[in-house]
Amino acid sequence: MPRRRLPFWPLLFVLAVASVLSVIASLAFGSERIPLTEVVAAVTDRFSGEPAGRWDVIIWELRLPRALLALVVGAGLAIAGAGMQTLVRNSLADPYLLGISSGASVGATAALTTGALAGLGLYAVSTGALLGAVGSALLIWLIATAQGGLTPIRLVLSGVVLSSGFSAIASLLVFLSDDERAANSVMFWMLGSVGGATWEKLVIPAAFVVVLAAGLLVVHRWLDALAAGPETAAALGINVAALRTALFVILSVVVGVLVAVSGGVGFVGLIVPHAARLVVGARHRVVLPVAAVAGAVFLVWVDVLARVVVRPQEIPLGVVTGVLGAPLFLLLMGRGSYRFGGDR
């Protein structure tokens, strides 16, 4: 008996409302709890032109940029995860499959342990991570194309092998560092955080996520065909090699940007696309919007948990997503029949 799917538009509307309410509610949580009534008053006062209140700076300069960055990163990772699973036709694929996160970790680790790019100040680590991510993506592309093209198996194997190599390089940099705090700084960055969010840092990742979402939605029929198999896509007149190359480039750049601003946040790009397919079906036209908004809401609340569990300290986001994501993914796998790429 086929599984009943939830109606797309009502679900998307509910998730959109939930995302707005989640952002507002998240402003109340942190090292110091702010009553929700005060949060609402601070938000309404800003829009009504009233004088700034007691919590105005904390809410508008610290917590709201952080919540919005979590929203953007969650949406971006979910979309990138769905795209990556289609690119390599592998249900276990996530945005970091191609070693981009490990390449970014080398750049960030070099910035943290050697002082490279120190002249960029607060942007040194993010810039190093972005350079490492772009460099790793370029290396994977060169290796795959030199061996015959961007086929799924070459991408997966190249990504897995290079990921191990990059992780070893990052570990070596930490080992050779004279800074005793380097290991803690690198570990915290690798596990992800949006604690350094500012209004300026929001613009670039938000723009890239919007471009990614719009681009994938424009070619949603091509993605459906590619997910069914390269033979099916080719029979429909799609240039499979060009589509794979375009997907690889845009996914690599967007994931590199997201990793640069948030570190490595696992599980979001793996479990959210699967959950979206379970509730609305496998068509990319409906999967991508639902996954984006669900991923955004999920990471906003993950960040809230990271702030309050051991308050006033913070837990890296990757720890929270791992604790929540592992049992959730096992639960999803046990929910009756589920197909991806022709496999049950």
Side-chain angles (χ1 to χ4, degrees):
M1 181 178 178
R3 179 185 295 276
R4 294 185 61 185
R5 306 298 183 186
L6 295 180
F8 169 65
W9 287 110
L11 176 62
L12 188 63
F13 175 77
V14 170
L15 288 173
V17 173
S19 67
V20 174
L21 295 179
S22 296
V23 168
I24 295 174
S26 70
L27 302 179
F29 299 96
S31 57
E32 185 171 1
R33 179 73 181 272
I34 302 176
L36 191 57
T37 54
E38 296 288 340
V39 170
V40 174
V43 172
T44 55
D45 287 348
R46 176 63 69 98
F47 286 107
S48 63
E50 295 292 328
R54 173 186 176 188
W55 306 105
D56 188 77
V57 173
I58 293 177
I59 290 175
W60 284 95
E61 301 302 326
L62 298 177
R63 294 188 183 178
L64 185 56
R66 177 173 185 151
L68 293 177
L69 184 60
L71 200 80
V72 169
V73 172
L77 290 177
I79 297 171
M84 193 68 70
Q85 288 164 8
T86 299
L87 174 63
V88 300
R89 296 193 70 226
N90 190 319
S91 57
L92 293 178
D94 72 354
Y96 308 136
L97 177 68
L98 301 183
I100 296 171
S101 176
S102 297
S105 70
V106 172
T109 302
L112 288 167
T113 59
T114 67
L117 305 174
L120 297 176
L122 295 175
Y123 297 96
V125 176
S126 297
T127 303
L130 182 58
L131 292 175
V134 173
S136 64
L138 180 60
L139 184 58
I140 293 169
W141 183 82
L142 291 174
I143 291 173
T145 52
Q147 294 177 348
L150 296 177
T151 62
I153 188 65
R154 287 193 183 95
L155 287 174
V156 172
L157 292 178
S158 299
V160 170
V161 171
L162 289 178
S163 180
S164 299
F166 290 140
S167 296
I169 294 173
S171 299
L172 179 62
L173 289 173
V174 173
F175 179 76
L176 296 176
S177 175
D178 295 329
D179 187 353
E180 297 180 355
R181 299 172 298 176
N184 289 334
S185 299
V186 171
M187 179 64 70
F188 195 88
W189 183 89
M190 287 183 176
L191 292 175
S193 172
V194 290
T198 63
W199 289 108
E200 291 78 11
K201 282 187 176 182
L202 268 174
V203 177
I204 293 178
F208 274 91
V209 169
V210 169
V211 170
L212 172 65
L216 295 186
L217 284 173
V218 167
V219 297
H220 67 90
R221 291 188 177 87
W222 293 2
L223 297 178
D224 292 339
L226 186 61
E231 296 82 6
T232 301
L236 294 173
I238 298 171
N239 188 329
V240 175
L243 179 58
R244 282 175 174 166
T245 300
L247 268 178
F248 174 79
V249 170
I250 190 172
L251 290 176
S252 298
V253 173
V254 172
V255 171
V257 170
L258 294 179
V259 172
V261 297
S262 66
V265 183
F267 271 103
V268 179
L270 176 62
I271 62 174
V272 174
H274 285 294
R277 291 189 188 96
L278 280 171
V279 297
V280 296
R283 293 174 301 161
H284 287 81
R285 181 178 64 83
V286 294
V287 166
L288 292 172
V290 170
V293 186
V297 174
F298 177 68
L299 198 60
V300 167
W301 285 107
V302 163
D303 183 50
V304 169
L305 289 176
R307 282 183 272 167
V308 302
V309 170
V310 291
R311 190 169 48 190
Q313 293 182 324
E314 293 184 13
I315 302 175
L317 297 182
V319 174
V320 181
T321 56
V323 171
L324 297 177
L328 181 58
F329 188 67
L330 294 175
L331 178 64
L332 291 177
M333 285 197 304
R335 296 283 295 177
S337 61
Y338 174 63
R339 291 181 179 274
F340 180 82
D343 296 327
R344 182 182 295 272

